[in-house]
Every structure is written in C-alpha cells, then in structure tokens.
Amino acid sequence: MKVYIKYMVSLRCKMIVQQELEKLGIPFLSIDLGLVETKDPITEQQHDDLKSNLEQVGLELLDDKRSILIDKIKNVIIEMIHYNEEVPRVNYSVFISEKLGYDYTYLSNIFSEVKGITIQQFIIIHKIERVKELLLYDELNLTEISYRLNYSSVSHLSNQFKKVTGLTPSFFKQIRIFRK
C-alpha cells in the first residue's frame, strides 16, 4: 500500500516518518520523499494515529488525488534540483512528464490552479535556493554553478538570481563573508 505525505522534503523528514512507522508497528518496504510503501494495508486506526503523529511534527497525510499529484510534482522538482549532482539536460517539462507518467500540460494546469504559481516559477525558486546553498558552501565558482544547474550562461543565472533575491550572486557571497 502507498501512503503519501505532504511536506516531506528532506532526509530528516524520512527519518521522522520511519520512527513514527516503527513506533506504530507499521511494517514498510520503502520510504521516499513524500511516499511510504507499506508491506500490508494499514488499518483505519493506524491511519488515524499516523496522521495525528505526523501532524505534530509538521507533516501531513494526503488523501486527495490532486494533492497527491501536486506533492509528487514538487518532490520530483526538489529531488531533481537539490539531491542530484547535475540537473537533467532535457527540458524540465519532459523530465517531469516522463517521471510521473502524465502529460505536462495536465500537470502544469493542476499545479498552477492549486499552488497559484507555475511549475516553472517553482523550479526557478528552488534553483535560486540551490544557488544560494552552493555559494555558501564556497566549493564551486559561479561558472561551475551555472553549468551544474543547467543555466545557459553565468549572465542568465546572475539575472535570475537578482530578479528573485534583489542581490547579485557576488554581493550575496560578500554578505556571507561579512557575517562571519
């Protein structure tokens, strides 16, 4: 049985979910971002207990099919940008569509309707967050970051960064140095 969980976006979340499943005695096969596969169907009581326990730590069980699909889209994007060494070199629309097995237009329409922003805007927000992370780690220069995140140029990355944050990447990096 598959159980979908909202706001599950990190390894720490996966550990919390695992602890809750073990505490409730729910055997599971796998735990991924936003998804738990249990060995057997869970009882209504287990479902209610899991839902209550997860809500206490800021996570939420999903029951609505649209919410589940939105969460899958978000998890694919987050995993693609934050947890892969390099962002795929194909169009994001193709990647997301193939990964989820739905037509991109359908996914895009549902996402925009429910979230109030486009998938593309969501991707840009997360790419900029990833750029900030990489700038703070100070392991890669801007050219390497732009290549890793599949920007057409350093200039494109810088313009998008400034549009989202109001700062240039180099100024953002200087602020970090001053804060030390």
Side-chain angles (χ1 to χ4, degrees):
M1 176 179 178
K2 292 183 178 180
V3 179
Y4 295 93
I5 303 171
K6 189 174 185 177
Y7 308 122
M8 190 174 164
V9 295
S10 69
L11 297 176
R12 176 123 173 79
C13 292
K14 287 170 70 171
M15 289 174 23
I16 291 169
V17 169
Q18 181 176 345
Q19 289 170 354
E20 292 300 327
L21 291 169
E22 289 169 352
K23 190 170 25 174
L24 294 171
I26 301 172
F28 58 90
L29 298 170
S30 65
I31 300 175
D32 290 313
L33 294 179
L35 172 67
V36 172
E37 196 161 349
T38 61
K39 287 184 179 178
D40 304 307
I42 61 175
T43 66
E44 198 167 320
Q45 183 62 50
Q46 286 174 319
H47 180 273
D48 293 343
D49 291 344
L50 182 61
K51 182 176 183 166
S52 173
N53 291 0
L54 291 178
E55 284 175 355
Q56 290 176 12
V57 294
L59 300 174
E60 187 179 313
L61 283 185
L62 294 174
D63 299 318
D64 171 36
K65 289 184 188 245
R66 285 168 53 111
S67 295
I68 291 169
L69 188 55
I70 296 300
D71 217 54
K72 283 182 179 181
I73 294 167
K74 288 167 52 177
N75 287 333
V76 165
I77 293 167
I78 289 167
E79 194 169 316
M80 172 181 70
I81 292 170
H82 293 278
Y83 297 107
N84 287 332
E85 275 302 306
E86 284 190 20
V87 175
R89 297 283 172 207
V90 296
N91 284 341
Y92 298 128
S93 57
V94 172
F95 181 81
I96 294 166
S97 183
E98 286 177 356
K99 191 91 167 162
L100 297 177
Y102 287 94
D103 177 64
Y104 183 77
T105 304
Y106 172 72
L107 295 173
S108 180
N109 289 338
I110 286 180
F111 191 89
S112 297
E113 188 179 307
V114 173
K115 298 302 291 174
I117 63 170
T118 66
I119 290 177
Q120 189 60 37
Q121 289 169 320
F122 188 79
I123 289 170
I124 289 168
I125 290 166
H126 280 275
K127 282 176 76 171
I128 296 304
E129 286 304 311
R130 184 69 176 138
V131 170
K132 287 180 189 177
E133 267 178 46
L134 293 170
L135 286 170
L136 291 176
Y137 291 150
D138 205 25
E139 294 172 0
L140 303 173
N141 64 37
L142 216 46
T143 303
E144 293 166 327
I145 293 171
S146 72
Y147 178 78
R148 178 176 280 186
L149 293 177
N150 202 17
Y151 279 95
S152 57
S153 67
V154 173
S155 162
H156 180 222
L157 181 153
S158 296
N159 289 335
Q160 201 169 71
F161 190 93
K162 184 161 183 156
K163 193 181 290 183
V164 172
T165 66
L167 307 169
T168 64
S170 53
F171 188 71
F172 178 82
K173 202 170 180 177
Q174 284 177 348
I175 289 172
R176 179 191 62 91
I177 293 167
F178 288 130
R179 287 188 178 167
K180 282 187 175 183

